[in-house]
Amino acid sequence: MRIVALAGGIGGARFLRGVQHAYPDAELTVVVNTGDDTTLYGLRICPDLDTVMYTLGNGIDEERGWGRQDESWRAKEELALYGSPTAWFGLGDRDLATHLRRTQLMLGGQSLTEVTATLCARWQPGATLLPMTDSQAETHVTVVEDGQRKAIHFQEWWIKHHAALPAEAITLVHHGDLLPAPGVLEAVEAADFVLLPPSNPVVSIGTVLQVKGIREALVDKRVVGVSPIIGGAPVRGMADACLAAIGVETSAEAVGRHYGSDILDGWLVDTADVGVTVPGVEVRAVPLLMTDLETTAAMARAAVDLA
Ligand code: FO1
């Protein structure tokens, strides 16, 4: 069984671990959001690619959901003592090696796709991780701070400001056509079905859907999404702040309708949201709280059954 998933960070990665547990023989390809990527201290940092790689490779810090387990923060502390303006970014010492090695490989001429494959050779995630694109595209958030309107990088808004500054707009900034990375469209084409895990519908799934050709490729595929919103609130993260920025209500129904029936064939909502309808989409209500691997695997089975 060939499964393709479009994913972002923590929620998506956790769900995919459940997919692997439920379907160990499935061939899983993950098209990962790169809009969160940023360059700090001259290093290329890819939060969602790393979160998926560490989660499926068993290197993730379970409590944070991002970064490495058994982490230390010596470099971050030293940077703060130097008054670095980006000391707010959670730069872990073990995670730092990933940013250093990725940057080293890219300076050597490797594309992000090739770098991801090289890093995954160590982590063996049991899935093929593809960046959504090899070209540079970054999510910026338009905010008003101290009476001044400005666009800041998503990571600054998300981490330094905890998404507390109201976002007037969330924009994927890129130069020229946003072309899919090699293999992305082919993977979608060859898939038996496509899953949209409970990632952030705006800055993760929404970003991947902006890549040229991906939305069109999904029209011909059976696509099942999993709501990241339960009972009117995001399970974790601050998807509500992102949804507000695009004028979408924070509800399982609104997000399902936001994706729409031109993309979705099926929509999984939590039992708290039974009765949700999405025109043209088959909706099923199952427990969606990923409390442990077994419940996540049950969610994965429900999504695959619906697909
Ligand atoms: N999230 C935070 O809330 N605080 C951080 O300091 C932080 C650092 C960080 C470093 C590497 C990485 O791969 C992820 C990191 N994240 C952090 C998570 C990340 O900002 C978000 O998970 C995604 O960008 C949103 O999906």
Side-chain angles (χ1 to χ4, degrees):
M1 179 166 61
R2 285 179 297 216
I3 305 174
V4 165
L6 311 187
I10 303 167
R14 285 213 169 123
F15 176 75
L16 292 171
R17 197 165 47 185
V19 171
Q20 288 187 319
H21 187 66
Y23 302 98
D25 302 330
E27 188 185 314
L28 176 62
T29 300
V30 193
V31 178
V32 184
N33 168 49
T34 59
D36 292 6
D37 297 4
T38 185
T39 299
L40 289 177
Y41 313 109
L43 302 177
R44 195 65 186 155
I45 295 171
C46 303
D48 284 350
L49 279 164
D50 290 348
T51 296
V52 176
M53 182 172 73
Y54 291 157
T55 301
L56 301 189
N58 297 314
I60 198 78
D61 178 88
E62 282 298 338
E63 193 269 329
R64 272 183 272 115
W66 54 267
R68 294 278 286 106
Q69 69 213 180
D70 309 325
E71 187 57 281
S72 59
W73 310 94
R74 307 294 292 271
K76 182 175 187 292
E77 289 154 11
E78 292 295 310
L79 286 162
L81 292 170
Y82 274 122
S84 163
T86 50
W88 49 264
F89 185 79
L91 189 71
D93 296 321
R94 301 180 88 184
D95 195 30
L96 186 53
T98 301
H99 313 322
L100 288 167
R101 182 65 178 136
R102 174 181 287 116
T103 304
Q104 185 178 47
L105 289 164
M106 292 181 93
L107 289 174
Q110 284 199 8
S111 66
L112 185 56
T113 298
E114 291 164 334
V115 167
T116 303
T118 304
L119 298 177
C120 284
R122 170 189 170 187
W123 289 103
Q124 295 296 311
T128 301
L129 270 54
L130 299 176
M132 69 184 198
T133 180
D134 275 341
S135 58
Q136 185 155 346
E138 297 186 359
T139 299
H140 288 210
V141 182
T142 304
V143 297
V144 176
E145 189 180 17
D146 306 328
Q148 189 199 3
R149 175 170 288 103
K150 57 181 177 177
I152 58 176
H153 190 285
F154 170 76
Q155 291 299 327
E156 183 172 354
W157 180 65
W158 190 258
I159 300 171
K160 183 180 174 188
H161 297 290
H162 303 288
L165 289 175
E168 290 188 352
I170 296 179
T171 315
L172 185 63
V173 177
H174 58 89
H175 178 76
D177 273 348
L178 192 55
L179 299 177
V184 165
L185 295 184
E186 293 80 356
V188 172
E189 189 54 45
D192 293 301
F193 51 84
V194 176
L195 299 179
L196 305 186
S199 287
N200 187 308
V202 181
V203 294
S204 295
I205 304 289
T207 308
V208 178
L209 291 174
Q210 291 181 57
V211 172
K212 200 175 174 66
I214 290 189
R215 186 180 278 274
E216 294 77 2
L218 294 185
V219 170
D220 306 331
K221 302 305 292 188
R222 190 112 180 99
V223 180
V224 169
V226 181
S227 176
I229 306 295
I230 294 181
V235 176
R236 65 174 295 146
M238 300 165 276
D240 44 345
C242 304
L243 288 164
I246 63 168
V248 173
E249 180 198 292
T250 298
S251 73
E253 182 156 285
V255 173
R257 290 172 182 227
H258 172 61
Y259 285 145
S261 57
D262 60 332
I263 289 182
L264 284 183
D265 298 286
W267 184 236
L268 277 190
V269 300
D270 186 79
T271 46
D273 296 307
V274 70
V276 157
T277 62
V278 179
V281 175
E282 186 178 347
V283 180
R284 280 187 195 163
V286 297
L288 286 189
L289 217 46
M290 298 187 280
T291 45
D292 57 32
L293 193 52
E294 278 316 313
T295 49
T296 310
M299 278 168 61
R301 285 189 201 95
V304 171
D305 288 348
L306 182 47

